[in-house]
Amino acid sequence: MSPSHRSSSTTRAHRLNETLVALPPSGIREFFELVIAMDDIISLGVGEPDFVTPWNVREYAMFTLERGDTSYTSNKGILALRREIAGYMAHRFGVTYDPENEVLVTVGASQGLDLSMRAILNPGDEAIVIEPSYVAYKPMVALAGGVPVVVTLRYENNFRLDLAELRAAVTPRTRAILLNYPSNPTGGTFTKEECRHIAALAEEYDLILISDEIYAEMTYDQEHYCMADQPGARDRTIVLNGFSKAFAMTGWRMGFAAGPADLIAGMTKIFQYSMLSAPIMSQNAAIEALRKRHQNVPHMVETFNQRRRLFVEGLRAIGIDCHMPEGAFYAYPCIRKFGLSSREFCTRLLKEERIAVVPGTAFGPAGEGFVRCAYAAGFQELEQALEGMKNLIGRL
Ligand SMILES: Cc1ncc(COP(=O)(O)O)c(C=O)c1O
């Protein structure tokens, strides 16, 4: 190559993966660029608990560092942690897994999602995504070579899944259904009956269920029914879960996948080449988090529950319609009647009242007319956010 060729190559744009180029930027990130540029914001934007990781977990992680645990671990994760996870799944959700070959420790539930998509999809395979949905689902399907097929939930139907619509979305190319309950962003969850119907549909069409149950612990007025515990579902379901939310451990990047041995083996094979092992200090912390979960999780969940009521009742009191969320820590109020788009509403709330919430459209086009508010903030901040919203809508 001539020198002139070499120097010109530093200024031209590089050719990137076409699927990547076609992906839209994350609606959340885009909006948060605006937020980051401003001071003194009350943020109900980020889906992150406002608790720091409980002290016993931090202390235990420091102890393991002190004793010199700084190595790689088994690709699947420390066996003691996999045993804790299997015990947790059995006691908390009624599903038994063999810690040797049916549990994989992942770098957040996010990595479990990525690995599961890459393990099961062939180019052109379809995966059904239920919208409004967590922002990563469609991109992860696409990056794995698959085609996301959307089933839309409607406010008028209480954001409940219409099983006839789910069935209608199945084609001969459908390989999987991605589920997330309790849901980010709607806060809705599934009843036992709904879980059973979904499982039966998956069995009928021989589909895999990728069930992201990361908010399972935060289910308020009913039990959480694990998808793998439904008749016929265990051997076609990969349950994704993790420590970010109910255990207040976002920065540790700890998650896990539990499922039938062949699917977990497929995911582990990708993991072997791409990650080697999850960080050992985080795995040690996760062991402690599970062992002492009764000490920490229930009181954090109860705090979210109280905030949920305060915030949603507060929204209704100022004239904003909102379903009572059944789980997670998100409220998804409807702002249609104020005549602004979701984005306009959020931008004005941010600029005029210094309150950050996320436009509903970040979670798919069906989110137009909604905003997502994470009530993972202190009571005082929630009160201030409500006050700011009241001021804004008073001017509209
Ligand atoms: C539904 C859902 N799944 C997965 C994740 C990512 O979790 P993790 O921090 O374990 O990667 C999030 C984070 O917001 C989420 O809301």
Side-chain angles (χ1 to χ4, degrees), residues 337-365:
K337 68 181 179 196
F338 304 113
L340 299 179
S341 72
S342 300
R343 211 187 151 78
E344 285 163 347
F345 187 93
C346 294
T347 308
R348 286 195 57 180
L349 191 62
L350 181 66
K351 294 199 169 147
E352 296 173 27
E353 298 294 331
R354 308 190 86 74
I355 289 159
V357 299
V358 181
T361 40
F363 310 93

PDB file of all heavy atoms in Angstrom, residues 337-365:
ATOM      1  N   LYS A 337     -53.197  13.147  27.153  1.00  0.00           N
ATOM      2  CA  LYS A 337     -54.192  14.225  27.210  1.00  0.00           C
ATOM      3  C   LYS A 337     -53.568  15.624  27.292  1.00  0.00           C
ATOM      4  O   LYS A 337     -54.260  16.616  27.141  1.00  0.00           O
ATOM      5  CB  LYS A 337     -55.153  13.999  28.369  1.00  0.00           C
ATOM      6  CG  LYS A 337     -54.579  14.137  29.754  1.00  0.00           C
ATOM      7  CD  LYS A 337     -55.696  13.857  30.762  1.00  0.00           C
ATOM      8  CE  LYS A 337     -55.192  13.943  32.176  1.00  0.00           C
ATOM      9  NZ  LYS A 337     -56.080  13.350  33.146  1.00  0.00           N
ATOM     10  N   PHE A 338     -52.254  15.698  27.493  1.00  0.00           N
ATOM     11  CA  PHE A 338     -51.630  17.021  27.606  1.00  0.00           C
ATOM     12  C   PHE A 338     -51.176  17.566  26.250  1.00  0.00           C
ATOM     13  O   PHE A 338     -50.632  18.656  26.160  1.00  0.00           O
ATOM     14  CB  PHE A 338     -50.467  16.977  28.593  1.00  0.00           C
ATOM     15  CG  PHE A 338     -50.895  16.478  29.944  1.00  0.00           C
ATOM     16  CD1 PHE A 338     -50.453  15.267  30.437  1.00  0.00           C
ATOM     17  CD2 PHE A 338     -51.804  17.225  30.685  1.00  0.00           C
ATOM     18  CE1 PHE A 338     -50.884  14.804  31.667  1.00  0.00           C
ATOM     19  CE2 PHE A 338     -52.242  16.766  31.922  1.00  0.00           C
ATOM     20  CZ  PHE A 338     -51.783  15.552  32.415  1.00  0.00           C
ATOM     21  N   GLY A 339     -51.365  16.783  25.208  1.00  0.00           N
ATOM     22  CA  GLY A 339     -51.128  17.281  23.850  1.00  0.00           C
ATOM     23  C   GLY A 339     -49.667  17.407  23.444  1.00  0.00           C
ATOM     24  O   GLY A 339     -49.368  18.048  22.438  1.00  0.00           O
ATOM     25  N   LEU A 340     -48.758  16.850  24.212  1.00  0.00           N
ATOM     26  CA  LEU A 340     -47.345  16.858  23.816  1.00  0.00           C
ATOM     27  C   LEU A 340     -46.928  15.439  23.479  1.00  0.00           C
ATOM     28  O   LEU A 340     -47.489  14.477  24.019  1.00  0.00           O
ATOM     29  CB  LEU A 340     -46.458  17.348  24.977  1.00  0.00           C
ATOM     30  CG  LEU A 340     -46.669  18.755  25.529  1.00  0.00           C
ATOM     31  CD1 LEU A 340     -45.702  19.004  26.687  1.00  0.00           C
ATOM     32  CD2 LEU A 340     -46.447  19.795  24.437  1.00  0.00           C
ATOM     33  N   SER A 341     -45.908  15.323  22.632  1.00  0.00           N
ATOM     34  CA  SER A 341     -45.353  13.985  22.414  1.00  0.00           C
ATOM     35  C   SER A 341     -44.559  13.602  23.674  1.00  0.00           C
ATOM     36  O   SER A 341     -44.247  14.457  24.507  1.00  0.00           O
ATOM     37  CB  SER A 341     -44.421  13.995  21.207  1.00  0.00           C
ATOM     38  OG  SER A 341     -43.241  14.689  21.537  1.00  0.00           O
ATOM     39  N   SER A 342     -44.236  12.327  23.785  1.00  0.00           N
ATOM     40  CA  SER A 342     -43.474  11.865  24.958  1.00  0.00           C
ATOM     41  C   SER A 342     -42.175  12.641  25.081  1.00  0.00           C
ATOM     42  O   SER A 342     -41.756  13.042  26.162  1.00  0.00           O
ATOM     43  CB  SER A 342     -43.121  10.380  24.814  1.00  0.00           C
ATOM     44  OG  SER A 342     -44.280   9.645  24.717  1.00  0.00           O
ATOM     45  N   ARG A 343     -41.537  12.814  23.958  1.00  0.00           N
ATOM     46  CA  ARG A 343     -40.241  13.484  23.959  1.00  0.00           C
ATOM     47  C   ARG A 343     -40.365  14.960  24.352  1.00  0.00           C
ATOM     48  O   ARG A 343     -39.580  15.474  25.136  1.00  0.00           O
ATOM     49  CB  ARG A 343     -39.613  13.365  22.559  1.00  0.00           C
ATOM     50  CG  ARG A 343     -38.137  13.322  22.629  1.00  0.00           C
ATOM     51  CD  ARG A 343     -37.448  13.369  21.323  1.00  0.00           C
ATOM     52  NE  ARG A 343     -36.171  14.003  21.551  1.00  0.00           N
ATOM     53  CZ  ARG A 343     -35.115  13.406  22.086  1.00  0.00           C
ATOM     54  NH1 ARG A 343     -35.162  12.140  22.383  1.00  0.00           N
ATOM     55  NH2 ARG A 343     -34.006  14.065  22.297  1.00  0.00           N
ATOM     56  N   GLU A 344     -41.410  15.604  23.787  1.00  0.00           N
ATOM     57  CA  GLU A 344     -41.626  17.019  24.142  1.00  0.00           C
ATOM     58  C   GLU A 344     -41.915  17.155  25.639  1.00  0.00           C
ATOM     59  O   GLU A 344     -41.394  18.040  26.312  1.00  0.00           O
ATOM     60  CB  GLU A 344     -42.816  17.594  23.358  1.00  0.00           C
ATOM     61  CG  GLU A 344     -42.511  17.886  21.902  1.00  0.00           C
ATOM     62  CD  GLU A 344     -43.796  18.059  21.063  1.00  0.00           C
ATOM     63  OE1 GLU A 344     -44.904  17.719  21.533  1.00  0.00           O
ATOM     64  OE2 GLU A 344     -43.666  18.512  19.923  1.00  0.00           O
ATOM     65  N   PHE A 345     -42.751  16.257  26.145  1.00  0.00           N
ATOM     66  CA  PHE A 345     -43.104  16.301  27.566  1.00  0.00           C
ATOM     67  C   PHE A 345     -41.839  16.168  28.422  1.00  0.00           C
ATOM     68  O   PHE A 345     -41.604  16.953  29.333  1.00  0.00           O
ATOM     69  CB  PHE A 345     -44.088  15.167  27.892  1.00  0.00           C
ATOM     70  CG  PHE A 345     -44.657  15.223  29.287  1.00  0.00           C
ATOM     71  CD1 PHE A 345     -45.868  15.861  29.544  1.00  0.00           C
ATOM     72  CD2 PHE A 345     -43.982  14.626  30.354  1.00  0.00           C
ATOM     73  CE1 PHE A 345     -46.391  15.913  30.841  1.00  0.00           C
ATOM     74  CE2 PHE A 345     -44.494  14.674  31.648  1.00  0.00           C
ATOM     75  CZ  PHE A 345     -45.707  15.317  31.887  1.00  0.00           C
ATOM     76  N   CYS A 346     -41.004  15.177  28.081  1.00  0.00           N
ATOM     77  CA  CYS A 346     -39.791  14.929  28.879  1.00  0.00           C
ATOM     78  C   CYS A 346     -38.810  16.083  28.763  1.00  0.00           C
ATOM     79  O   CYS A 346     -38.182  16.475  29.749  1.00  0.00           O
ATOM     80  CB  CYS A 346     -39.115  13.627  28.440  1.00  0.00           C
ATOM     81  SG  CYS A 346     -40.122  12.199  28.814  1.00  0.00           S
ATOM     82  N   THR A 347     -38.691  16.635  27.559  1.00  0.00           N
ATOM     83  CA  THR A 347     -37.747  17.730  27.362  1.00  0.00           C
ATOM     84  C   THR A 347     -38.197  18.966  28.145  1.00  0.00           C
ATOM     85  O   THR A 347     -37.396  19.620  28.813  1.00  0.00           O
ATOM     86  CB  THR A 347     -37.609  18.058  25.851  1.00  0.00           C
ATOM     87  OG1 THR A 347     -37.331  16.851  25.183  1.00  0.00           O
ATOM     88  CG2 THR A 347     -36.491  19.036  25.582  1.00  0.00           C
ATOM     89  N   ARG A 348     -39.496  19.234  28.098  1.00  0.00           N
ATOM     90  CA  ARG A 348     -39.980  20.417  28.844  1.00  0.00           C
ATOM     91  C   ARG A 348     -39.870  20.184  30.343  1.00  0.00           C
ATOM     92  O   ARG A 348     -39.497  21.088  31.091  1.00  0.00           O
ATOM     93  CB  ARG A 348     -41.427  20.741  28.433  1.00  0.00           C
ATOM     94  CG  ARG A 348     -41.449  21.376  27.031  1.00  0.00           C
ATOM     95  CD  ARG A 348     -42.757  22.035  26.706  1.00  0.00           C
ATOM     96  NE  ARG A 348     -43.147  23.062  27.659  1.00  0.00           N
ATOM     97  CZ  ARG A 348     -44.257  23.768  27.551  1.00  0.00           C
ATOM     98  NH1 ARG A 348     -45.074  23.568  26.527  1.00  0.00           N
ATOM     99  NH2 ARG A 348     -44.570  24.682  28.449  1.00  0.00           N
ATOM    100  N   LEU A 349     -40.175  18.976  30.797  1.00  0.00           N
ATOM    101  CA  LEU A 349     -40.061  18.678  32.232  1.00  0.00           C
ATOM    102  C   LEU A 349     -38.615  18.852  32.687  1.00  0.00           C
ATOM    103  O   LEU A 349     -38.344  19.371  33.763  1.00  0.00           O
ATOM    104  CB  LEU A 349     -40.547  17.245  32.494  1.00  0.00           C
ATOM    105  CG  LEU A 349     -40.745  16.836  33.942  1.00  0.00           C
ATOM    106  CD1 LEU A 349     -41.830  17.686  34.623  1.00  0.00           C
ATOM    107  CD2 LEU A 349     -41.117  15.354  34.048  1.00  0.00           C
ATOM    108  N   LEU A 350     -37.724  18.456  31.821  1.00  0.00           N
ATOM    109  CA  LEU A 350     -36.303  18.565  32.157  1.00  0.00           C
ATOM    110  C   LEU A 350     -35.863  20.029  32.175  1.00  0.00           C
ATOM    111  O   LEU A 350     -35.265  20.509  33.140  1.00  0.00           O
ATOM    112  CB  LEU A 350     -35.493  17.762  31.135  1.00  0.00           C
ATOM    113  CG  LEU A 350     -33.996  17.731  31.345  1.00  0.00           C
ATOM    114  CD1 LEU A 350     -33.650  16.992  32.629  1.00  0.00           C
ATOM    115  CD2 LEU A 350     -33.301  17.035  30.174  1.00  0.00           C
ATOM    116  N   LYS A 351     -36.202  20.732  31.103  1.00  0.00           N
ATOM    117  CA  LYS A 351     -35.689  22.100  30.984  1.00  0.00           C
ATOM    118  C   LYS A 351     -36.403  23.060  31.917  1.00  0.00           C
ATOM    119  O   LYS A 351     -35.780  23.952  32.480  1.00  0.00           O
ATOM    120  CB  LYS A 351     -35.811  22.582  29.540  1.00  0.00           C
ATOM    121  CG  LYS A 351     -34.887  21.778  28.631  1.00  0.00           C
ATOM    122  CD  LYS A 351     -34.609  22.453  27.318  1.00  0.00           C
ATOM    123  CE  LYS A 351     -33.473  21.710  26.612  1.00  0.00           C
ATOM    124  NZ  LYS A 351     -33.611  21.718  25.162  1.00  0.00           N
ATOM    125  N   GLU A 352     -37.713  22.878  32.104  1.00  0.00           N
ATOM    126  CA  GLU A 352     -38.474  23.854  32.888  1.00  0.00           C
ATOM    127  C   GLU A 352     -38.529  23.494  34.367  1.00  0.00           C
ATOM    128  O   GLU A 352     -38.639  24.356  35.217  1.00  0.00           O
ATOM    129  CB  GLU A 352     -39.895  23.979  32.315  1.00  0.00           C
ATOM    130  CG  GLU A 352     -39.891  24.533  30.891  1.00  0.00           C
ATOM    131  CD  GLU A 352     -41.266  24.500  30.230  1.00  0.00           C
ATOM    132  OE1 GLU A 352     -42.284  24.540  30.946  1.00  0.00           O
ATOM    133  OE2 GLU A 352     -41.304  24.418  28.979  1.00  0.00           O
ATOM    134  N   GLU A 353     -38.472  22.198  34.680  1.00  0.00           N
ATOM    135  CA  GLU A 353     -38.621  21.796  36.095  1.00  0.00           C
ATOM    136  C   GLU A 353     -37.421  21.002  36.612  1.00  0.00           C
ATOM    137  O   GLU A 353     -37.391  20.608  37.761  1.00  0.00           O
ATOM    138  CB  GLU A 353     -39.907  20.954  36.264  1.00  0.00           C
ATOM    139  CG  GLU A 353     -41.187  21.687  35.918  1.00  0.00           C
ATOM    140  CD  GLU A 353     -41.493  22.845  36.874  1.00  0.00           C
ATOM    141  OE1 GLU A 353     -41.084  22.769  38.044  1.00  0.00           O
ATOM    142  OE2 GLU A 353     -42.124  23.825  36.427  1.00  0.00           O
ATOM    143  N   ARG A 354     -36.480  20.753  35.761  1.00  0.00           N
ATOM    144  CA  ARG A 354     -35.244  20.013  36.109  1.00  0.00           C
ATOM    145  C   ARG A 354     -35.533  18.626  36.676  1.00  0.00           C
ATOM    146  O   ARG A 354     -34.936  18.179  37.650  1.00  0.00           O
ATOM    147  CB  ARG A 354     -34.375  20.850  37.066  1.00  0.00           C
ATOM    148  CG  ARG A 354     -34.123  22.256  36.522  1.00  0.00           C
ATOM    149  CD  ARG A 354     -33.098  23.018  37.296  1.00  0.00           C
ATOM    150  NE  ARG A 354     -31.732  22.759  36.858  1.00  0.00           N
ATOM    151  CZ  ARG A 354     -31.198  23.219  35.743  1.00  0.00           C
ATOM    152  NH1 ARG A 354     -31.915  23.941  34.903  1.00  0.00           N
ATOM    153  NH2 ARG A 354     -29.954  22.946  35.446  1.00  0.00           N
ATOM    154  N   ILE A 355     -36.486  17.967  36.006  1.00  0.00           N
ATOM    155  CA  ILE A 355     -36.831  16.603  36.414  1.00  0.00           C
ATOM    156  C   ILE A 355     -36.669  15.688  35.204  1.00  0.00           C
ATOM    157  O   ILE A 355     -37.179  15.979  34.120  1.00  0.00           O
ATOM    158  CB  ILE A 355     -38.275  16.549  36.940  1.00  0.00           C
ATOM    159  CG1 ILE A 355     -38.290  17.278  38.284  1.00  0.00           C
ATOM    160  CG2 ILE A 355     -38.777  15.113  37.130  1.00  0.00           C
ATOM    161  CD1 ILE A 355     -39.598  17.739  38.692  1.00  0.00           C
ATOM    162  N   ALA A 356     -35.933  14.608  35.412  1.00  0.00           N
ATOM    163  CA  ALA A 356     -35.677  13.702  34.288  1.00  0.00           C
ATOM    164  C   ALA A 356     -36.530  12.443  34.391  1.00  0.00           C
ATOM    165  O   ALA A 356     -36.496  11.741  35.403  1.00  0.00           O
ATOM    166  CB  ALA A 356     -34.193  13.313  34.278  1.00  0.00           C
ATOM    167  N   VAL A 357     -37.324  12.208  33.352  1.00  0.00           N
ATOM    168  CA  VAL A 357     -38.019  10.933  33.166  1.00  0.00           C
ATOM    169  C   VAL A 357     -37.757  10.540  31.714  1.00  0.00           C
ATOM    170  O   VAL A 357     -37.268  11.352  30.927  1.00  0.00           O
ATOM    171  CB  VAL A 357     -39.541  11.024  33.477  1.00  0.00           C
ATOM    172  CG1 VAL A 357     -39.788  11.434  34.914  1.00  0.00           C
ATOM    173  CG2 VAL A 357     -40.243  12.004  32.532  1.00  0.00           C
ATOM    174  N   VAL A 358     -38.070   9.325  31.338  1.00  0.00           N
ATOM    175  CA  VAL A 358     -37.664   8.848  30.010  1.00  0.00           C
ATOM    176  C   VAL A 358     -38.870   8.816  29.054  1.00  0.00           C
ATOM    177  O   VAL A 358     -39.938   8.304  29.443  1.00  0.00           O
ATOM    178  CB  VAL A 358     -37.057   7.423  30.122  1.00  0.00           C
ATOM    179  CG1 VAL A 358     -36.595   6.917  28.769  1.00  0.00           C
ATOM    180  CG2 VAL A 358     -35.907   7.402  31.116  1.00  0.00           C
ATOM    181  N   PRO A 359     -38.724   9.316  27.828  1.00  0.00           N
ATOM    182  CA  PRO A 359     -39.842   9.228  26.875  1.00  0.00           C
ATOM    183  C   PRO A 359     -40.233   7.763  26.646  1.00  0.00           C
ATOM    184  O   PRO A 359     -39.370   6.908  26.480  1.00  0.00           O
ATOM    185  CB  PRO A 359     -39.266   9.825  25.574  1.00  0.00           C
ATOM    186  CG  PRO A 359     -38.031  10.570  25.979  1.00  0.00           C
ATOM    187  CD  PRO A 359     -37.532   9.945  27.234  1.00  0.00           C
ATOM    188  N   GLY A 360     -41.530   7.513  26.645  1.00  0.00           N
ATOM    189  CA  GLY A 360     -42.009   6.134  26.472  1.00  0.00           C
ATOM    190  C   GLY A 360     -41.547   5.518  25.169  1.00  0.00           C
ATOM    191  O   GLY A 360     -41.405   4.289  25.049  1.00  0.00           O
ATOM    192  N   THR A 361     -41.280   6.348  24.171  1.00  0.00           N
ATOM    193  CA  THR A 361     -40.872   5.846  22.861  1.00  0.00           C
ATOM    194  C   THR A 361     -39.484   5.193  22.893  1.00  0.00           C
ATOM    195  O   THR A 361     -39.111   4.493  21.955  1.00  0.00           O
ATOM    196  CB  THR A 361     -40.846   6.999  21.833  1.00  0.00           C
ATOM    197  OG1 THR A 361     -40.299   8.155  22.477  1.00  0.00           O
ATOM    198  CG2 THR A 361     -42.232   7.324  21.323  1.00  0.00           C
ATOM    199  N   ALA A 362     -38.722   5.408  23.976  1.00  0.00           N
ATOM    200  CA  ALA A 362     -37.435   4.713  24.090  1.00  0.00           C
ATOM    201  C   ALA A 362     -37.647   3.200  24.144  1.00  0.00           C
ATOM    202  O   ALA A 362     -36.727   2.426  23.889  1.00  0.00           O
ATOM    203  CB  ALA A 362     -36.702   5.180  25.347  1.00  0.00           C
ATOM    204  N   PHE A 363     -38.884   2.793  24.466  1.00  0.00           N
ATOM    205  CA  PHE A 363     -39.175   1.361  24.635  1.00  0.00           C
ATOM    206  C   PHE A 363     -40.002   0.812  23.473  1.00  0.00           C
ATOM    207  O   PHE A 363     -40.625  -0.240  23.587  1.00  0.00           O
ATOM    208  CB  PHE A 363     -39.892   1.147  25.978  1.00  0.00           C
ATOM    209  CG  PHE A 363     -39.145   1.812  27.104  1.00  0.00           C
ATOM    210  CD1 PHE A 363     -39.471   3.105  27.508  1.00  0.00           C
ATOM    211  CD2 PHE A 363     -38.070   1.187  27.702  1.00  0.00           C
ATOM    212  CE1 PHE A 363     -38.744   3.754  28.498  1.00  0.00           C
ATOM    213  CE2 PHE A 363     -37.338   1.821  28.692  1.00  0.00           C
ATOM    214  CZ  PHE A 363     -37.669   3.104  29.087  1.00  0.00           C
ATOM    215  N   GLY A 364     -39.961   1.547  22.370  1.00  0.00           N
ATOM    216  CA  GLY A 364     -40.686   1.123  21.168  1.00  0.00           C
ATOM    217  C   GLY A 364     -41.758   2.139  20.819  1.00  0.00           C
ATOM    218  O   GLY A 364     -42.189   2.912  21.686  1.00  0.00           O
ATOM    219  N   PRO A 365     -42.194   2.125  19.551  1.00  0.00           N
ATOM    220  CA  PRO A 365     -43.172   3.127  19.102  1.00  0.00           C
ATOM    221  C   PRO A 365     -44.469   3.095  19.904  1.00  0.00           C
ATOM    222  O   PRO A 365     -45.145   4.113  20.052  1.00  0.00           O
ATOM    223  CB  PRO A 365     -43.443   2.739  17.631  1.00  0.00           C
ATOM    224  CG  PRO A 365     -42.435   1.711  17.266  1.00  0.00           C
ATOM    225  CD  PRO A 365     -41.760   1.209  18.495  1.00  0.00           C
TER     226      PRO A 365
END
